[in-house]
Amino acid sequence: MDILGKLQEYREEEKRLVWEGTFAEYLEILRERPEVAQSAHSRVYNMIKSHGIEEVNGKKRYNFFSNQIFGLEDAVERLVEEYFHPSAKRLDVRKRILLLMGPVSGGKSTIVTMLKRGLEAYSKTDEGAVYAIKGCPMHEDPLHLIPQSMRDDFQKQYGIRVEGSLSPLNMMRLEQEYDGRIEDVIIERIFFSEDKRTGIGTFSPSDPKSQDIADLTGSIDFSTIAEFGSESDPRAYRFDGELNKANRGMMEFQEMLKCDEKFLWHLLSLTQEGNFKAGRFALISADELIVAHTNEAEYKSFISNKKNEALHSRIIVMPIPYNLKVSEEEKIYEKMIDDSDIADFHIAPHALRVAAIFSVLTRMKESTKQGVDFVKKMRLYDGENVEGFNHADVEELKKEFPDEGMSGIDPRYVINRISSAIIRKDVPAISPLDVLRSLKDGLDQHASISKEDREKYINFISVARKEYDDIAKKEVQKAFVYSYEESAKTLMDNYLDNVEAYCNKNKLRDPLTGDEMNPDEKLMRSIEEQIGISENAKKAFREEILIRISAYARKGKKFDYNSHERLREAIQKKLFADLKDVVKITTSTKTPDESQLKKVNEVIARLIDEHGYNSISANDLLRYVGSLLNR
Ligand SMILES: Nc1ncnc2c1ncn2[C@@H]1O[C@H](COP(=O)(O)OP(=O)(O)OP(=O)(O)O)[C@@H](O)[C@H]1O
Ligand SMILES: [Mg+2]
């Protein structure tokens, strides 16, 4: 559909959602859909829930977060289950300020922004609809109109608990405009919007000397006192602080711990009693989620200050660490690149992966567990199968350092380095090696890296480089075989036939002549040697494979190429060893003959068509692998 048509549709939808009626009519709505009267915290939780919750390995996955926040499943689960969910049920945590704590550019602001956008959209749905007293600058909850003495009765009839008292302004309006007839008060449906300052607010501290508390709480408008006669006339009050505007929804408190204390004290009573006080004005009831964010250092210095004790106990801290899964890290970069102006530039396959390997390594802590080095740990965290380790081991590794992921290289640094590598290139493609080089060069300019860390990081660059070498070799060798999976399968079937005959002391039948023949020892050994299985160990290895096959058969599972990790590795290596010479010769001759040239062109075409290369990056890759094989 064209954009003008869409605009029209948008306008009509906006119109359709508008609702205005009397308080009496509003009660009719509540009779059918009591959920629209929910508290701000409950609304946030239900909004998250409305996007769906999945259960993976006994852990909850929230779809709302999972399409934009990658690799933080555990942290997000904790955030929802320890804060949003209980606070929706009016448990005590709702009276605390939510403080997201984590390292720079680890996704804190992204989470907050998602919540804001999520609430905006949710307020346009039926179940997320929000209603307010019309003309109230704080979009006050209509149910505040119900006098305290009647609230128990109301709760019995409607099943809705009413909290908070009618603001002085609406109290006055009720008398003056409606003659005290609550049922006639006009109610309207409102839609959250940060731009229009409805239900979503952001407070960002500036110079404490010039910043006025009014930015947060609103203030008395002295110019109107002459008109209204008194400072305490509610009409003389401007309800335009962020706390006022965010009523019913959420307020983001940026850099909260950098903020002057006087601002924080207001939050104390707001979170604890649900109201705040401004100057000589009466208490103002408000119902909103307050989210703040900070880094670890700032938080530590905050709690070490005795003066902050009272505040401290009213804050609930949720750690938001860096992601520690390589494949998820790649997704973060992809998303950031898609959003940037380098989106159209050709970034060779695996370039983001090597960067991700590097960053994840810098964030991990070295395990004391036997046989777990950095690379293994990285693979385990990423959900790969590593022989000798299972799911429980991974959970155990995660528990070893509760603060893992709170430091290391941040995604923004990586994207900056990729951008700068792109700018320096004069051809329209960057390779994984370009990226690694740029990451390394940047370490010198990175202000917050200690000398000790820099050395560690440079070492991680080499680890990432080695990982890439393996990836690159495999990629090229695969591209040399017409159908790699097929060849691997054939080789494996062949091996298994021989192993079976060997263990059962049987003969094999030659498929062509039908003659009986002995198991092909040379073939079996050529595969086993690839993974260092000695002559003495071969029998045990073969028997173990047969046991695995029969275990699979018993469970009705198919034993295939991926069922035995070491066997798969052996088959892969064998295939590559056979290919190595062909690849070596073809990729490194300066003056290829006609058949070599044909092969190279075929491989390049396959890399471009099937593996996402362009002609520059495909040629780069071949040249690089040629040099690796000739070392
Ligand atoms: N786990 C993640 N999943 C998805 N995107 C992420 C993740 N971590 C970081 N990012 C991306 O990194 C960039 C920086 O993140 P963001 O601004 O949310 O971090 P922050 O924690 O608020 O950082 P700061 O402390 O610097 O304010 C964003 O583009 C964000 O999308
Ligand atoms: Mg931020």
Side-chain angles (χ1 to χ4, degrees):
M1 198 196 300
D2 68 318
I3 197 73
L4 293 179
K6 282 215 169 117
L7 275 176
Q8 167 117 14
E9 203 175 71
Y10 176 82
R11 232 178 359 255
E12 277 162 13
E13 177 64 10
E14 298 272 282
K15 246 193 246 151
R16 190 185 68 78
L17 293 176
V18 171
W19 184 92
E20 196 178 297
T22 62
F23 184 74
E25 286 164 328
Y26 177 60
L27 287 183
E28 288 305 308
I29 294 180
L30 287 190
R31 208 185 286 281
E32 274 170 41
R33 294 186 288 137
E35 69 273 12
V36 301
Q38 65 193 323
S39 71
H41 285 87
S42 157
R43 185 165 278 119
V44 174
Y45 177 65
N46 284 321
M47 179 276 288
I48 294 170
K49 215 170 86 177
S50 72
H51 290 256
I53 304 176
E54 280 168 36
E55 199 143 321
V56 184
N57 297 329
K59 288 186 177 174
K60 292 208 171 109
R61 295 284 172 264
Y62 300 87
N63 297 346
F64 174 69
F65 290 106
S66 56
N67 56 14
Q68 268 191 64
I69 290 290
F70 303 116
L72 297 188
E73 294 82 1
D74 291 351
V76 165
E77 178 175 18
R78 184 161 167 208
L79 177 61
V80 179
E81 288 309 312
E82 288 181 24
Y83 187 79
F84 292 129
H85 195 176
S87 61
K89 295 200 160 131
R90 295 182 191 260
L91 292 175
D92 215 47
V93 284
R94 134 187 102 108
K95 297 188 172 164
R96 313 249 178 88
I97 298 166
L98 174 61
L99 178 62
L100 307 179
M101 179 188 65
V104 286
S105 87
K108 302 181 295 294
S109 299
T110 309
I111 291 177
V112 176
T113 308
M114 286 180 76
L115 288 171
K116 288 178 178 173
R117 298 293 92 78
L119 278 178
E120 289 174 352
Y122 193 56
S123 72
K124 291 186 177 171
T125 66
D126 289 348
E127 66 278 17
V130 194
Y131 295 84
I133 297 174
K134 188 171 170 162
C136 170
M138 276 182 72
H139 1 278
E140 186 163 15
D141 185 346
L143 295 184
H144 285 180
L145 288 162
I146 301 175
Q148 294 286 352
S149 60
M150 283 171 55
R151 288 185 180 182
D152 283 343
D153 281 345
F154 176 77
Q155 183 171 1
K156 274 189 206 111
Q157 265 193 47
Y158 286 80
I160 300 170
R161 186 154 102 216
V162 185
E163 275 174 289
S165 37
L166 192 61
S167 78
L169 178 66
N170 286 321
M171 191 99 79
M172 181 181 234
R173 289 179 59 207
L174 176 63
E175 290 313 319
Q176 295 187 345
E177 294 173 32
Y178 298 101
D179 212 9
R181 289 181 54 85
I182 291 172
E183 56 273 48
D184 293 346
V185 174
I186 301 295
I187 308 302
E188 64 175 348
R189 182 169 178 186
I190 59 165
F191 304 95
F192 287 160
S193 157
E194 181 161 33
D195 296 341
K196 295 184 182 151
R197 300 184 77 208
T198 309
I200 312 263
T202 304
F203 182 76
S204 172
S206 53
D207 176 12
K209 284 194 197 68
S210 64
Q211 192 164 34
D212 193 336
I213 196 78
D215 294 357
L216 202 55
T217 61
S219 62
I220 295 164
D221 182 353
F222 289 97
S223 67
T224 58
I225 292 177
E227 186 185 337
F228 298 122
S230 146
E231 285 185 17
S232 54
D233 189 304
R235 287 166 302 180
Y237 197 86
R238 290 167 58 112
F239 297 86
D240 64 353
E242 289 305 322
L243 286 176
N244 307 116
K245 292 298 174 187
N247 186 29
R248 314 292 300 280
M250 66 179 277
M251 190 191 87
E252 172 186 15
F253 203 137
Q254 294 180 338
E255 312 284 357
M256 186 175 87
L257 302 185
K258 285 203 185 86
C259 194
D260 200 76
E261 285 161 29
K262 67 180 184 210
F263 293 89
L264 301 184
W265 294 113
H266 285 274
L267 300 182
L268 273 190
S269 92
L270 174 59
T271 50
Q272 205 62 24
E273 333 298 344
N275 52 41
F276 60 93
K277 189 156 168 62
R280 267 159 286 177
F281 197 69
L283 282 171
I284 301 172
S285 288
D287 169 33
E288 55 202 80
L289 161 75
I290 297 179
V291 195
H293 34 91
T294 183
N295 61 43
E296 205 173 10
E298 228 164 52
Y299 179 68
K300 282 196 174 135
S301 92
F302 173 78
I303 52 172
S304 67
N305 186 345
K306 270 262 178 273
K307 268 201 330 210
N308 294 326
E309 241 164 37
L311 260 174
H312 181 204
S313 66
R314 279 149 169 109
I315 290 175
I316 185 160
V317 181
M318 285 289 158
I320 305 293
Y322 285 138
N323 153 56
L324 293 170
K325 297 178 182 159
V326 173
S327 355
E328 299 294 319
E329 189 70 11
E330 269 185 89
K331 289 189 202 159
I332 298 178
Y333 303 156
E334 276 161 17
K335 181 189 75 172
M336 291 171 84
I337 288 172
D338 274 349
D339 293 344
S340 76
D341 47 6
I342 54 174
D344 297 328
F345 195 86
H346 178 75
I347 296 174
H350 312 298
L352 299 184
R353 183 159 192 92
V354 297
I357 290 174
F358 167 69
S359 350
V360 167
L361 285 170
T362 64
R363 300 167 187 172
M364 286 189 335
K365 299 211 157 127
E366 190 166 12
S367 174
T368 53
K369 221 171 134 86
Q370 189 82 40
V372 185
D373 58 14
F374 273 109
V375 172
K376 259 194 200 144
K377 185 167 173 178
M378 174 186 90
R379 292 196 207 293
L380 285 167
Y381 273 10
D382 204 15
E384 281 182 46
N385 285 323
V386 176
E387 194 89 10
F389 297 93
N390 57 29
H391 188 67
D393 295 319
V394 182
E395 293 304 310
E396 214 172 281
L397 279 178
K398 283 188 193 164
K399 290 200 188 95
E400 200 178 347
F401 303 101
D403 62 339
E404 193 169 38
M406 292 306 251
S407 61
I409 287 290
D410 61 290
R412 218 178 269 137
Y413 172 77
V414 173
I415 297 301
N416 289 346
R417 295 315 299 169
I418 291 178
S419 309
S420 103
I422 285 175
I423 288 163
R424 262 182 288 143
K425 285 288 273 209
D426 43 9
V427 290
I430 59 165
S431 70
L433 295 178
D434 293 330
V435 170
L436 282 180
R437 202 173 304 120
S438 180
L439 284 170
K440 189 174 170 187
D441 292 347
L443 292 177
D444 292 332
Q445 302 148 23
H446 201 306
S448 58
I449 298 179
S450 69
K451 204 167 157 239
E452 199 189 347
D453 278 344
R454 181 167 305 141
E455 271 163 33
K456 234 170 66 190
Y457 291 0
I458 287 179
N459 186 35
F460 288 139
I461 297 265
S462 330
V463 177
R465 164 83 184 261
K466 280 201 201 92
E467 290 289 302
Y468 174 61
D469 288 354
D470 284 346
I471 297 173
K473 278 190 262 180
K474 273 187 197 156
E475 183 109 307
V476 169
Q477 287 170 321
K478 271 189 186 181
F480 261 83
V481 200
Y482 173 64
S483 169
Y484 174 79
E485 293 297 323
E486 200 116 306
S487 316
K489 189 176 172 306
T490 313
L491 185 59
M492 189 185 79
D493 287 345
N494 202 350
Y495 175 75
L496 292 180
D497 287 344
N498 281 287
V499 164
E500 203 172 8
Y502 168 87
C503 292
N504 298 334
K505 304 204 167 48
N506 284 344
K507 301 253 179 211
L508 285 155
R509 218 168 263 291
D510 187 312
L512 285 181
T513 59
D515 292 346
E516 289 208 325
M517 48 181 206
N518 284 326
D520 184 347
E521 192 57 33
K522 207 167 139 223
L523 174 87
M524 289 187 285
R525 288 305 291 147
S526 72
I527 290 171
E528 291 154 1
E529 275 160 4
Q530 301 292 337
I531 49 168
I533 291 179
S534 67
E535 192 61 32
N536 289 334
K538 72 179 184 191
K539 187 154 180 275
F541 182 74
R542 292 172 191 177
E543 282 166 356
E544 183 206 314
I545 285 176
L546 280 195
I547 290 169
R548 180 82 60 100
I549 293 180
S550 69
Y552 266 66
R554 234 186 1 259
K555 287 186 209 146
K557 284 205 293 186
K558 195 168 137 23
F559 185 91
D560 68 12
Y561 176 61
N562 288 314
S563 310
H564 192 288
E565 203 198 335
R566 295 195 64 213
L567 179 60
R568 181 184 61 194
E569 191 190 334
I571 298 275
Q572 251 172 16
K573 285 195 168 154
K574 167 72 175 138
L575 270 181
F576 291 160
D578 293 349
L579 263 173
K580 194 169 163 180
D581 288 334
V582 187
V583 177
K584 199 155 120 180
I585 294 165
T586 331
T587 52
S588 58
T589 40
K590 294 242 156 45
T591 48
D593 62 31
E594 204 175 317
S595 78
Q596 283 170 335
L597 200 60
K598 187 163 164 264
K599 186 73 197 171
V600 166
N601 286 336
E602 227 175 77
V603 168
I604 286 182
R606 201 167 295 141
L607 286 171
I608 295 173
D609 296 343
E610 294 169 22
H611 300 279
Y613 286 80
N614 74 4
S615 69
I616 298 171
S617 61
N619 277 295
D620 275 353
L621 176 75
L622 282 192
R623 221 172 304 126
Y624 181 60
V625 169
S627 76
L628 281 180
L629 292 175
N630 277 308
R631 265 187 205 157

mmCIF file of all heavy atoms in Angstrom, residues 24 32 69 98 121 125 284 422 446 462 482 516:
data_model
loop_
_atom_site.group_PDB
_atom_site.id
_atom_site.type_symbol
_atom_site.label_atom_id
_atom_site.label_comp_id
_atom_site.label_asym_id
_atom_site.label_seq_id
_atom_site.Cartn_x
_atom_site.Cartn_y
_atom_site.Cartn_z
ATOM 1 N N ALA A 24 -19.916 7.317 35.055
ATOM 2 C CA ALA A 24 -20.889 6.222 35.104
ATOM 3 C C ALA A 24 -20.658 5.261 33.935
ATOM 4 O O ALA A 24 -20.690 4.035 34.097
ATOM 5 C CB ALA A 24 -22.305 6.788 35.066
ATOM 6 N N GLU A 32 -17.078 -4.947 32.511
ATOM 7 C CA GLU A 32 -16.696 -5.960 31.520
ATOM 8 C C GLU A 32 -15.205 -6.259 31.514
ATOM 9 O O GLU A 32 -14.788 -7.387 31.330
ATOM 10 C CB GLU A 32 -17.085 -5.482 30.118
ATOM 11 C CG GLU A 32 -18.509 -5.816 29.766
ATOM 12 C CD GLU A 32 -18.917 -5.109 28.488
ATOM 13 O OE1 GLU A 32 -18.082 -5.058 27.551
ATOM 14 O OE2 GLU A 32 -20.053 -4.603 28.448
ATOM 15 N N ILE A 69 16.864 -7.954 22.349
ATOM 16 C CA ILE A 69 17.920 -8.097 23.345
ATOM 17 C C ILE A 69 18.468 -9.505 23.207
ATOM 18 O O ILE A 69 17.719 -10.473 23.321
ATOM 19 C CB ILE A 69 17.346 -7.886 24.757
ATOM 20 C CG1 ILE A 69 16.969 -6.426 24.944
ATOM 21 C CG2 ILE A 69 18.319 -8.315 25.833
ATOM 22 C CD1 ILE A 69 18.168 -5.496 25.030
ATOM 23 N N LEU A 98 13.517 0.638 40.446
ATOM 24 C CA LEU A 98 14.252 -0.399 39.725
ATOM 25 C C LEU A 98 15.541 0.206 39.178
ATOM 26 O O LEU A 98 15.511 1.200 38.452
ATOM 27 C CB LEU A 98 13.378 -0.930 38.590
ATOM 28 C CG LEU A 98 14.035 -1.914 37.630
ATOM 29 C CD1 LEU A 98 14.483 -3.160 38.362
ATOM 30 C CD2 LEU A 98 13.071 -2.279 36.512
ATOM 31 N N ALA A 121 2.607 1.222 22.703
ATOM 32 C CA ALA A 121 1.811 0.371 21.810
ATOM 33 C C ALA A 121 0.710 -0.348 22.579
ATOM 34 O O ALA A 121 -0.422 -0.472 22.107
ATOM 35 C CB ALA A 121 2.721 -0.638 21.107
ATOM 36 N N THR A 125 -4.025 -1.015 22.702
ATOM 37 C CA THR A 125 -4.755 -2.276 22.563
ATOM 38 C C THR A 125 -5.938 -2.287 23.526
ATOM 39 O O THR A 125 -6.012 -1.466 24.443
ATOM 40 C CB THR A 125 -3.855 -3.475 22.909
ATOM 41 O OG1 THR A 125 -3.513 -3.406 24.312
ATOM 42 C CG2 THR A 125 -2.568 -3.464 22.096
ATOM 43 N N ILE A 284 0.861 14.778 46.305
ATOM 44 C CA ILE A 284 0.299 14.392 45.012
ATOM 45 C C ILE A 284 0.445 12.878 44.866
ATOM 46 O O ILE A 284 1.550 12.343 44.960
ATOM 47 C CB ILE A 284 1.063 15.076 43.858
ATOM 48 C CG1 ILE A 284 0.984 16.597 44.020
ATOM 49 C CG2 ILE A 284 0.528 14.635 42.514
ATOM 50 C CD1 ILE A 284 1.855 17.361 43.037
ATOM 51 N N ILE A 422 36.293 0.188 7.819
ATOM 52 C CA ILE A 422 35.624 0.404 6.534
ATOM 53 C C ILE A 422 36.108 1.695 5.892
ATOM 54 O O ILE A 422 36.396 1.753 4.695
ATOM 55 C CB ILE A 422 34.092 0.449 6.746
ATOM 56 C CG1 ILE A 422 33.583 -0.971 6.979
ATOM 57 C CG2 ILE A 422 33.388 1.101 5.570
ATOM 58 C CD1 ILE A 422 32.125 -1.069 7.310
ATOM 59 N N HIS A 446 41.904 3.190 23.442
ATOM 60 C CA HIS A 446 40.800 2.956 24.370
ATOM 61 C C HIS A 446 41.211 3.424 25.768
ATOM 62 O O HIS A 446 42.116 2.876 26.382
ATOM 63 C CB HIS A 446 40.454 1.464 24.376
ATOM 64 C CG HIS A 446 39.077 1.182 24.881
ATOM 65 N ND1 HIS A 446 38.625 1.622 26.083
ATOM 66 C CD2 HIS A 446 38.051 0.483 24.337
ATOM 67 C CE1 HIS A 446 37.381 1.222 26.252
ATOM 68 N NE2 HIS A 446 37.006 0.528 25.200
ATOM 69 N N SER A 462 44.737 -12.945 19.188
ATOM 70 C CA SER A 462 45.373 -14.098 18.533
ATOM 71 C C SER A 462 44.507 -15.344 18.624
ATOM 72 O O SER A 462 44.462 -16.139 17.696
ATOM 73 C CB SER A 462 46.727 -14.452 19.145
ATOM 74 O OG SER A 462 47.344 -13.350 19.660
ATOM 75 N N TYR A 482 31.871 -30.605 -4.174
ATOM 76 C CA TYR A 482 30.578 -30.219 -4.723
ATOM 77 C C TYR A 482 29.498 -30.343 -3.660
ATOM 78 O O TYR A 482 28.756 -29.434 -3.369
ATOM 79 C CB TYR A 482 30.237 -31.049 -5.960
ATOM 80 C CG TYR A 482 28.847 -30.773 -6.422
ATOM 81 C CD1 TYR A 482 28.508 -29.492 -6.880
ATOM 82 C CD2 TYR A 482 27.861 -31.754 -6.366
ATOM 83 C CE1 TYR A 482 27.227 -29.205 -7.267
ATOM 84 C CE2 TYR A 482 26.573 -31.462 -6.755
ATOM 85 C CZ TYR A 482 26.258 -30.190 -7.212
ATOM 86 O OH TYR A 482 24.985 -29.900 -7.587
ATOM 87 N N GLU A 516 34.020 -61.761 -0.732
ATOM 88 C CA GLU A 516 34.235 -61.438 0.678
ATOM 89 C C GLU A 516 35.595 -60.771 0.842
ATOM 90 O O GLU A 516 36.550 -61.117 0.149
ATOM 91 C CB GLU A 516 34.207 -62.723 1.508
ATOM 92 C CG GLU A 516 32.820 -63.302 1.618
ATOM 93 C CD GLU A 516 32.648 -64.086 2.900
ATOM 94 O OE1 GLU A 516 33.621 -64.721 3.319
ATOM 95 O OE2 GLU A 516 31.548 -64.028 3.481
#
